[in-house]
Amino acid sequence: MALPPAGSVMRVAVPFIWVVGLLSVRLVGAGQDAGSLIPADSRPCVDCHAFEFMQRALQDLKKTAYNLDTR
């Protein structure tokens, strides 16, 4: 199978990356509204969020495994 020419790939990839970049800049700017900033002391750390997420994911996996075993 032949690969598409590099020029056609670039014609699609460059606008796509440009649009994704604009959207991400817009989303970052939208999250920094005045008065919505939570002080760092009252926020859980990133590791705590990751740990809680992994705990919930493990619980979901255990439930799914149990449900599959009982079938």
Side-chain angles (χ1 to χ4, degrees):
M1 187 162 103
L3 294 174
S8 66
V9 172
M10 291 302 289
R11 236 180 284 139
V12 173
V14 170
F16 177 74
I17 292 170
W18 185 72
V19 168
V20 170
L22 282 177
L23 289 175
S24 64
V25 167
R26 212 175 252 195
L27 289 174
V28 167
Q32 296 178 352
D33 295 330
S36 66
L37 196 62
I38 300 171
D41 296 340
S42 62
R43 284 191 311 240
C45 63
V46 174
D47 291 338
C48 298
H49 278 300
F51 181 75
E52 290 169 0
F53 175 80
M54 292 305 293
Q55 270 189 324
R56 277 187 255 121
L58 184 60
Q59 288 173 352
D60 291 344
L61 284 172
K62 285 180 181 177
K63 284 183 197 175
T64 304
Y66 178 76
N67 289 338
L68 289 174
D69 286 343
T70 57
R71 289 184 182 177

